[in-house]
Every structure is written in C-alpha cells, then in structure tokens.
Amino acid sequence: GTAGLPGRIAYCVVDEVSMRGAVSIARRLLDPMAELVKIDPQSIGVGLYQHDVDHKRLVSELKAAVTDCVNSVGVDLNTASPSLLEHVAGLSAALARNIVEHRSARGPFASRAEVLAVKGVGPRAHHQAAGFLRVYGGSEPLDATPVHPESYEVAKRFKRTRESYGGHDIAALAVEWGIGAQTLSDIEAALAGTVKDPREAQPPPRIKAPGSGKRKSLGSGAIDAQESGITVDLLTPGLKLQGVVRNVVAFGAFVDIGVGHDGLLHVSQYPPTARGRADALSVNDNVEVWVQGATRSTGGGKGSAGKGARGPPSKDRWRVSLTAVEPSGLANA
C-alpha cells in the first residue's frame, strides 16, 4: 500500500550493483511484497533439501504461494510494478507490462473499468483480476476495496439498507436478495473497513545502530549482539541473545544471532513445549536463545593458509551451538 507515503516520490536510475542492492533492501521496508516478487522464489531459500525435490513441482508450488500472497492483499493499480501485477489472477507477464506501459503513457487509472482499455485485457481477464486491483482516490470509491465490480450494486444497496434501518440480519438479507451469505458478509466487512491486511500484524522493522558498544537488551535480558558490538569470538556459554530463524531442517533450526555466523538450535534444545512439533519454529521467527558453545575451524584445501596454497586464506568457520532452554546456574555477562 501507499498509506503514509508522501504525495510526490522521486526516483533515480542506479547503475552500480551494490547501490541497486541497497535500494532494494531499503524499499523492502516500505513494501516487502512489492520487492520480493521481483526475486525468483527459488533464490529466496526454501530449505536445505530444495535441490532434492522435483524441480517443476517446486517452481509450480512456489509461484502458487506467491500468487496467493499477492491476491490476498491486493495491489495498487497505479503504483504496482510488472513483477507484482503478473501475479494477479487473470493477468500474465505480457498483460502486466501492457498495463504499466498504458499507465506511463496516459497517466493513472481513474477506475478499475479503465483497465479494459489496455491492449490485450479483455472482459474475461478483467473479471478475474478486478477484485484484486485497487484504485485509490478514483471515480468509484468501491474500487479501493476488495469488493468485486459485479457486487457493486449489492454493496450500494446494502449500504443504503444499513443507513436506513441500522441493525440487520446478514443471513436473512442474503436469502432475500438471492446472494451468498459469505459474499454479503465480506461486503459488510469491506464497507466497515474491518478487512485486515495480514502485513499489519507483522512487527515493525527495527533500525539498528551496529557496534554501539553498549549491550542493548529486551526486558527479558536477551542481548542484541549486532547493536552491542558482540562478535563471534566474544560468545561465551550462557550468553542470552536475540535471534531470527533463517532455516528450519529436520534436526533443528539455524538462527541468525547477529555475529555473522548462524548458530544451530538442535531439536533437542527446543523449549519443552515445542519439542516434537514439526511446526514449532518457522523462518523469520524471533527467538531468544542461550549460547552453549562456539568453536572455530579453518577450512582446508584451496584457499587455506597453508604452505603452497593458492588464493587468499579462507575465512574461519565457526560452529555455534544454541539452546532455547535456560541453562541452570548461568546468566548473561
């Protein structure tokens, strides 16, 4: 969505790869979905055994999941990129490009109906896509809601009925008007503004100041290693840290604790209430863990710092073991 953004937004063309990456990361703070759809789903990382499953089925399932996410929240017709629009039901990559080109040439869309003027968009494609496209500040207020154009007359009738008679029985009205009770219930929620965007339930992004030197912790005592300037060589057993789950495998979860090396939280070290549950942890879950140990090992072979080795010395690898069970007799330093 564009709520909270300034009225005028300036863009610039960036050529350097590092700068493009920085801009992409920054834009994810504004609208993560709009940026992540530009990345091949397979490149996001879907587990340790990604390459062991059927490739075609994986691609199909990943694309379906992305499409479900896009359609569940809708897209702004006047700001969405081709990468985002092509995931809207009824629209292909070619139609998405045509919509953006039409918008660039003729200005913003004033209504959902104007999409029919785009080359290649026929009544069938429009019927499928219309309910997922949003037009804010246009000629038809209902274009900014999840209500499909085919239900506009019902929505307007329902609004008049609600204003005239106040209380109403959804089931009775649905039978009287010959429409589905669920459809009428969805219309009521849309008009009341109670349709929740699942993204609103996500915690807001945290802007960190790495390496401040002061140990910053939550009320529970868990330390943010990145903000506190704690590096992997400073990890000590019993140190309680904030972490984010980066991958979940059969034997546990890999947790980013902010030191440049993910730690392993073995299933045997899950909290007692979560042990034995396959869905106990998910990627991007925020967790609080204690360090059990951290050992360093230097990789061998090409790139190792041995006699006759070629290339630069390899980076030291650290094995960090974690637990979600509070160690007895240990406390944060």
Side-chain angles (χ1 to χ4, degrees), residues 132-175:
F132 307 114
L133 302 174
R134 307 283 187 270
V135 178
Y136 299 97
S139 56
E140 172 55 72
L142 290 173
D143 283 347
T145 72
V147 178
H148 194 279
E150 67 181 5
S151 298
Y152 280 3
E153 289 304 317
V154 174
K156 293 174 182 178
R157 183 181 180 185
F158 179 82
K159 185 178 180 181
R160 291 193 298 268
T161 301
R162 185 179 60 182
E163 292 173 349
S164 301
Y165 303 105
H168 48 265
D169 185 335
I170 292 293
L173 280 179
V175 172

Side-chain angles (χ1 to χ4, degrees), residues 220-221 236-240 289-293 321 323 325-333:
S220 60
T236 55
L239 189 64
K240 187 179 182 181
V289 293
W290 287 266
V291 176
Q292 285 188 314
S321 55
T323 179
V325 181
E326 183 173 6
S328 57
L330 294 176
N332 270 336

Side-chain angles (χ1 to χ4, degrees), residues 152-308:
Y152 280 3
E153 289 304 317
V154 174
K156 293 174 182 178
R157 183 181 180 185
F158 179 82
K159 185 178 180 181
R160 291 193 298 268
T161 301
R162 185 179 60 182
E163 292 173 349
S164 301
Y165 303 105
H168 48 265
D169 185 335
I170 292 293
L173 280 179
V175 172
E176 180 183 343
W177 294 351
I179 62 173
Q182 185 60 54
T183 299
L184 191 56
S185 179
D186 291 342
I187 290 174
E188 179 187 34
L191 293 177
T194 57
V195 178
K196 297 297 184 182
D197 189 324
R199 292 172 292 185
E200 296 176 357
Q202 298 297 316
R206 290 182 57 205
I207 307 300
K208 297 185 178 183
S212 63
K214 296 181 180 180
R215 293 200 169 186
K216 297 185 178 181
S217 63
L218 299 174
S220 60
I223 293 172
D224 186 312
Q226 195 173 30
E227 284 196 290
S228 302
I230 297 176
T231 54
V232 66
D233 56 305
L234 297 178
L235 296 179
T236 55
L239 189 64
K240 187 179 182 181
L241 300 172
Q242 301 172 30
V244 179
V245 177
R246 291 305 182 204
N247 199 3
V248 179
V249 292
F251 52 84
F254 289 94
V255 180
D256 180 358
I257 52 176
V259 297
H261 299 264
D262 292 350
L264 172 62
L265 180 63
H266 193 269
V267 289
S268 63
Q269 300 302 321
Y270 280 13
T273 55
R275 289 178 193 166
R277 287 173 45 204
D279 60 345
L281 292 177
S282 301
V283 173
N284 290 331
D285 279 354
N286 291 302
V287 294
E288 295 182 358
V289 293
W290 287 266
V291 176
Q292 285 188 314
T295 57
R296 177 170 54 187
S297 61
T298 303
K302 184 178 179 180
S304 62
K307 184 178 180 180

